[in-house]
Every structure is written in structure tokens, then in C-alpha cells.
Amino acid sequence: MGLGSIRKTVLVTGAAGFLGSHLVDRLLAEGFEVVGLDNLMTGDLGNLEQAGRDPHFHLEIGDVRETLKVYAEIIFNFACPASPIHYQSDPYATLTTSVLGALRLVEHARLRRCRIVHASTSEVYGDPLEHPQTEEYWGHVNPIGDRACYDEGKRAAETILRDAVRIHGADARIIRIFNTYGPRMALDDGRVVSNFLIQAIRNQPITIYGSGEQSRSFCYVSDLVDGIIETALAPQFDSPMNLGNPNEFTMLDLAESVMKVTGKKVELVRKPLPADDPKRRCPDIAKARRQIGFEPKIQILEGLKRTYDNFVSRMGVD
Ligand code: UDP
């Protein structure tokens, strides 16, 4: 990107998280001055090792629920625990991070014009009754369920940002991120990709929740980051927009793929399905294709292989 000698300053909240840290690395590579904010609730400073060596990266330990002190031309709001076990462990913190975080961003953007790219989620569709999910679908969400602190927090954040666009003319861009995986996923986040890989690496049984027939569509992290960058740089943007890989498969299929990639043949054990676990999830990405030319490139076996290599080195096994 031709930025000349003046670097634009951007802020990434949730910078030490899985997605936040990959985004930070990409923004530095694109020539931005990057400020990262994180309260380290679920983030890990180890994710910022590479960024930490770059003189154009600055880290602030702080909370998006408090007044932002940094001026940036673009704010990427990626602050919020995102895996079910993490976001359910402190539901109040999860809900307030989404809602107060969005309010703080909007206040900030009103005082100093800046662009906001906000990480929303496929969870706004809940356990969807329409398939695949288009942006027009309003969702099927339990407001008092175990996932509500995340789902409803993210829905309210969308409301806050959308109203800021409508009423104050704010430039707030909402992306609905579907399941994403890759290197640096927290080893203890209980997600299906990390659980299955770790179990196979340790020669332990793979835990299938419920029948294993429920589906998800997994996007490799570099594809997702491509979409986030295009979202931020597009001259105009119509929110919300789904981002993800529409290649849908069941958890049983995923277990097969993990065994293929790791070369391990392990047993499958059944565990109860968590409450309100969505039965099917797959993004309709027609809008992303049209609006920013989005096209995921990394297929599941390749993405799992890269993630596996990263896990093996972090777990210190051969
Ligand atoms: N899952 C599973 N075994 C595990 C972890 C998760 O079968 O060890 C299932 C889970 O019930 C869900 C899907 O995998 O249907 C994806 O779960 P994850 O927590 O990764 O993300 P979600 O899409 O539910 O937020």
C-alpha cells in the first residue's frame, strides 16, 4: 500500500487475542502505525511476540469499556472473549465488553472522526432456522440461555453502531465473523478445532458433543484477515456483512480431517451437546464477494496442517 512517509495510525482492541494479533501483524506489514489495546482477560502477550519487535507497534494494557485515550484513523474493535467456555466463564464481563465497548467507540468516533471496523459474529443468528445465513436473517436467539451474554451483547453492539451511523453519520463497519481457526488459537479455549487437534496430538479420544452431525463452516485466519483489511479500506461499506468460509461440514467430518492431517487414528467419544448449540451454521458470502471481492483460499486440510504445525511447536511435542 502506498502510504508515503506518513503512516496512518490504527487501533486494534483485543490485540493480544487470536484474531486481534493476526490483524496487528498484517496491519504492520501493510505499513500502518499500530496501537494495540488489551486487558489480557483472554488475550496472550505471546501472540504479540512478532509485533513487539516492530518499532511501529505500541501496546497499551487497558479496557475497551473505559474511555479511549488513543487517536487512530481506523479502530478495529476485536475486544471480547469469543470461545464459549471463555465467554461463559464471566458472562457479565462478556456482555459489558461488547455493549460498553461499542458505546465508548461511538463516543470516541463522534469527537474525532474515525472509521470503526467492528467484529460482530455469526452468533447473532443464534441457532438459525434459515440456512445458509444471509445478512437479512434476524436470527433465532435465546435471550436467557448460556450463550446469551455473548450473542445478545454482540447484537446490542450492532444496534449501537448502526444507530451511530443512522443518527450521527458515523463510519462504522460491521462484519459478522463465522468460525475461524489457525495458529495461535488458545490451547485451552475448548473449541472444536483446538480440542480435536490437541486430542489427536496426545493420542487421546476425540470428544464429539451430541451426535456430531451438527455443522460449522471454518475459515482459515489469513483469509479472514484479508476480508477485514478489504473492509477497512473500501471507499464505501454497507453493514452488516458476513465473513467466513462457506465450506460446511459436520463435526464427524472434521474429526476425520483432523485424523488425516495428524496421521493419528484415535477413538471418538460422545459427550453431551452444550445448551443452545447451533445445529447448522454456514455463511452466505454473496455480499462479501460483491462488496469487497472476498474469496477464501485456504481449504480445510491445508489450514488444519498449518494449525497442527503451530500446535505441535507450542505444545513442545514431536
Ligand atoms: N464440539 C465438539 N467437541 C469438542 C468441542 C466442540 O463436538 O470437543 C462441537 C460443539 O458442540 C459445536 C461445534 O463443535 O457444535 C463447534 O464448537 P466451538 O466451541 O468450536 O464453536 P461454536 O461454533 O459452537 O461457537
Side-chain angles (χ1 to χ4, degrees):
M1 218 180 66
L3 292 174
S5 55
I6 302 170
R7 288 173 175 256
K8 277 190 183 183
T9 301
V10 298
L11 171 67
V12 178
T13 76
F18 162 55
L19 290 183
S21 67
H22 281 283
L23 180 58
V24 164
D25 289 345
R26 179 71 70 83
L27 288 164
L28 288 167
E30 298 275 348
F32 289 97
E33 198 73 24
V34 182
V35 181
L37 179 77
D38 206 300
N39 67 358
L40 301 182
M41 182 179 166
T42 54
D44 179 352
L45 287 179
N47 289 337
L48 293 170
E49 214 180 292
Q50 182 185 321
R53 290 193 292 271
D54 190 317
H56 299 289
F57 178 64
H58 317 270
L59 179 65
E60 302 240 344
I61 303 300
D63 201 300
V64 74
R65 288 171 286 190
E66 279 148 31
T67 306
L68 293 178
K69 296 188 194 78
V70 178
Y71 176 69
E73 289 183 47
I74 309 175
I75 302 178
F76 295 86
N77 186 30
F78 281 69
C80 193
S83 87
I85 59 164
H86 283 160
Y87 70 64
Q88 289 169 27
S89 70
D90 190 346
Y92 179 81
T94 301
L95 185 88
T96 54
T97 296
S98 281
V99 174
L100 296 179
L103 286 169
R104 295 291 95 85
L105 285 186
V106 166
E107 283 163 12
H108 185 82
R110 279 188 73 184
L111 293 175
R112 315 143 199 245
R113 305 297 302 178
C114 64
R115 180 170 296 168
I116 297 170
V117 176
H118 172 72
S120 190
T121 167
S122 55
E123 287 280 332
V124 300
Y125 302 120
D127 186 4
L129 303 178
E130 284 185 17
H131 200 78
Q133 292 80 55
T134 66
E135 291 84 354
E136 281 70 46
Y137 180 49
W138 291 355
H140 176 235
V141 179
N142 177 355
I144 53 165
D146 292 352
R147 301 173 84 104
C149 59
Y150 187 67
D151 301 7
E152 298 291 14
K154 288 286 187 179
R155 285 166 69 94
E158 287 200 8
T159 309
I160 292 164
L161 294 171
R162 186 67 186 86
D163 284 342
V165 172
R166 197 169 16 234
I167 297 168
H168 308 301
D171 183 355
R173 305 176 173 203
I174 299 167
I175 46 178
R176 293 181 175 159
I177 299 173
F178 283 64
N179 293 65
T180 304
Y181 70 104
R184 294 189 192 154
M185 291 183 88
L187 297 174
D188 64 349
D189 74 0
R191 290 208 146 142
V192 70
V193 172
S194 41
N195 274 8
F196 284 9
L197 279 172
I198 292 168
Q199 289 158 349
I201 290 168
R202 293 186 175 145
N203 293 305
Q204 291 169 347
I206 283 183
T207 50
I208 302 284
Y209 298 168
S211 68
E213 296 291 345
Q214 69 272 31
S215 74
R216 294 291 186 275
S217 313
F218 293 95
C219 187
Y220 188 69
V221 63
S222 59
D223 284 334
L224 191 90
V225 170
D226 286 346
I228 299 168
I229 298 286
E230 292 306 324
T231 295
L233 300 182
Q236 267 116 37
F237 191 80
D238 180 42
S239 297
M241 186 185 78
N242 290 339
L243 274 185
N245 188 326
N247 188 10
E248 179 187 3
F249 40 82
T250 68
M251 296 311 100
L252 290 171
D253 296 333
L254 180 67
E256 281 300 315
S257 300
V258 164
M259 287 195 257
K260 197 180 283 177
V261 163
T262 58
K264 301 284 180 76
K265 191 85 197 139
V266 295
E267 233 187 294
L268 304 182
V269 289
R270 309 277 163 172
K271 295 267 166 113
L273 193 67
D276 297 331
D277 198 276
K279 284 176 269 313
R280 296 186 75 184
R281 185 184 286 154
C282 180
D284 181 316
I285 59 166
K287 186 170 179 180
R289 286 189 170 118
R290 208 170 47 241
Q291 187 159 232
I292 58 165
F294 180 65
E295 202 56 64
K297 297 175 197 73
I298 309 289
Q299 292 313 316
I300 189 73
L301 292 180
E302 171 62 22
L304 283 177
K305 173 78 177 79
R306 294 186 194 183
T307 311
Y308 167 71
D309 290 343
N310 172 259
F311 276 34
V312 164
S313 74
R314 285 159 68 207
M315 290 166 69
V317 289
D318 296 328

